[in-house]
């Protein structure tokens, strides 16, 4: 009889996660480790055959501590936190889950748009301070309806298409850009999109080409008093340049779920600005996304155990 497949799940499970996996215990030996628990991680890693990876960067040195690793499965789409080159050299498959978190991230994106457009944090704070009625005479001259805006999506994958459907249903005009003209209505080159839109939302992976894609020059092309939303990767934006644009009032607001350094540090120039709505990289984190993640993770473990081809492998292994 085969031994259970050893899995290191690099996150803390809630009760629903544990309940959903209870029926797999005969063939899956899952060890849980919080992302901040390095001692536990390095204790469990040498025996792990599969690593379920979330956000804590996985270096080449980490991979070398896992001599039995056969699969690193990203719970999500972006594999920029994994040293894929070292994994490939060591014969470790790297897989991801494209589209699994798209419904949740899309809704989280629109949530940030609305919160920033309607100045929700400031209004929430005012009510808690005893102001039962708006005290700012400029309120009605600064807040916007999404339906009256032109929304620009940079990148046009699974998440962006869902955002387009939601804001389009609200009445917005939607433009998008990608690496080349995809023939779809609404495509624009990036400089034209930045100049045309009231809201710009990022939906692309972090690569050498997209690092600081929105630096000072790109931000200067955006419409005055426009809104920038980022639920993709923090380093796509030059955060210092964005802070300058927000402080000066040239951009009206930003809604950010991701940061160049995560967890976000106290010296980040954006966290002290009252025209920024922040969340800690959690737009993907819902019961529904976790259910989809676990379903795909268990399926790939079953494939690995049975010697069948793995789903959504992003690296090419010699002999595979």
């Amino acid at each position: 009889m085969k031994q259970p497949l050893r899995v290191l799940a690099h996150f803390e499970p809630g009760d629903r996660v544990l309940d959903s996996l209870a029926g797999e215990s005969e063939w899956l030996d899952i060890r849980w480790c919080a992302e901040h628990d390095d001692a536990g991680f390095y204790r469990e890693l040498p025996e792990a055959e599969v690593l379920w990876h979330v956000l804590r960067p996985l270096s080449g040195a980490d991979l070398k501590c896992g001599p039995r690793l056969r699969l690193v499965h990203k719970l999500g789409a972006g594999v920029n936190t994994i040293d894929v080159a070292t994994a490939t050299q060591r014969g470790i498959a790297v897989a991801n889950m494209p589209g699994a978190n798209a419904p949740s991230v899309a809704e989280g994106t629109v949530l940030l748009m609305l919160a920033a457009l309607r100045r929700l944090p400031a209004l929430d704070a005012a009510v808690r301070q005893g102001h039962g009625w708006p005290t700012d005479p400029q309120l009605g001259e600064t807040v916007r309806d999404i339906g009256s805006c032109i929304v620009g999506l940079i990148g046009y994958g699974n998440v962006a298409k869902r955002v387009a459907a939601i804001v389009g249903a609200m009445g917005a005009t939607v433009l998008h850009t990608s690496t080349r003209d995809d023939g779809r209505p609404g495509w624009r080159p990036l400089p034209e999109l930045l100049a045309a839109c009231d809201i710009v939302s990022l939906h692309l992976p972090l690569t050498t080409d997209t690092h600081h894609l929105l630096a000072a020059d790109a931000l200067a092309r955006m419409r005055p008093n426009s809104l920038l939303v980022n639920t993709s990767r923090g380093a796509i934006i030059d955060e210092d340049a964005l802070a300058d644009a927000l402080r000066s009032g040239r951009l009206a607001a930003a809604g950010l779920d991701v940061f160049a350094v995560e967890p976000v540090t106290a010296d980040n120039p954006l966290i002290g600005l009252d025209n920024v709505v922040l969340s800690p990289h959690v737009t993907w984190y819902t019961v529904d996304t976790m259910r989809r993640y676990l379903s795909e993770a268990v399926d790939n473990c079953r494939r690995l155990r049975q010697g069948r081809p793995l789903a959504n492998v992003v690296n090419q292994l010699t002999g595979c």
Side-chain angles (χ1 to χ4, degrees), residues 236-257:
I236 295 170
I237 299 174
D238 180 336
E239 292 179 338
D240 289 325
L242 176 59
D244 288 342
L246 291 164
R247 283 194 205 97
S248 70
R250 193 186 174 284
L251 296 186
L256 306 173
D257 184 56

Side-chain angles (χ1 to χ4, degrees), residues 44-259:
E44 295 290 348
L45 186 57
E47 297 301 318
E49 297 172 82
V50 176
L51 175 62
W52 290 351
H53 167 78
V54 183
L55 286 172
R56 186 267 203 193
L58 187 63
S59 68
D62 293 334
L63 291 168
K64 292 174 183 177
C65 294
R68 299 184 65 202
L69 277 177
R70 301 163 63 192
L71 169 64
V72 174
H73 209 324
K74 167 71 177 186
L75 273 63
V79 296
N80 60 292
T81 51
I82 302 169
D83 187 337
V84 177
T86 298
T88 304
Q89 291 168 6
R90 297 183 64 82
I92 303 168
V94 178
N96 67 348
M97 301 179 182
N101 65 13
S104 301
V105 176
E107 291 186 15
T109 299
V110 177
L111 172 68
L112 287 171
M113 288 181 187
L114 286 166
L117 280 176
R118 304 299 290 265
R119 296 173 57 184
L120 181 61
L123 294 174
D124 177 90
V127 172
R128 293 174 190 278
Q129 293 165 8
H131 302 294
W133 197 252
T135 58
D136 182 357
Q138 298 300 311
L139 178 67
E141 298 182 11
T142 56
V143 300
R144 298 289 307 273
D145 299 334
I146 284 182
S148 67
C149 292
I150 301 173
V151 177
L153 307 173
I154 302 179
Y156 205 57
N158 292 310
V159 175
K161 289 182 176 70
R162 285 181 174 270
V163 172
I166 296 169
V167 299
M170 299 171 77
T173 299
V174 182
L175 305 179
H176 72 277
T177 192
S178 48
T179 52
R180 60 184 180 277
D181 188 344
D182 59 15
R184 297 172 184 266
W187 185 90
R188 297 288 189 278
L190 178 59
E192 291 184 20
L193 179 143
L194 292 173
C197 292
D198 304 296
I199 304 171
V200 173
S201 187
L202 301 182
H203 302 283
L204 65 172
L206 176 62
T207 67
T208 53
D209 291 332
T210 63
H211 181 268
H212 282 192
L213 180 69
L214 265 65
D217 57 344
L219 294 171
R221 294 191 184 101
M222 291 178 63
R223 277 188 174 183
N225 299 313
S226 56
L227 164 67
L228 180 62
V229 174
N230 190 8
T231 56
S232 54
R233 290 294 183 265
I236 295 170
I237 299 174
D238 180 336
E239 292 179 338
D240 289 325
L242 176 59
D244 288 342
L246 291 164
R247 283 194 205 97
S248 70
R250 193 186 174 284
L251 296 186
L256 306 173
D257 184 56
V258 289
F259 305 90

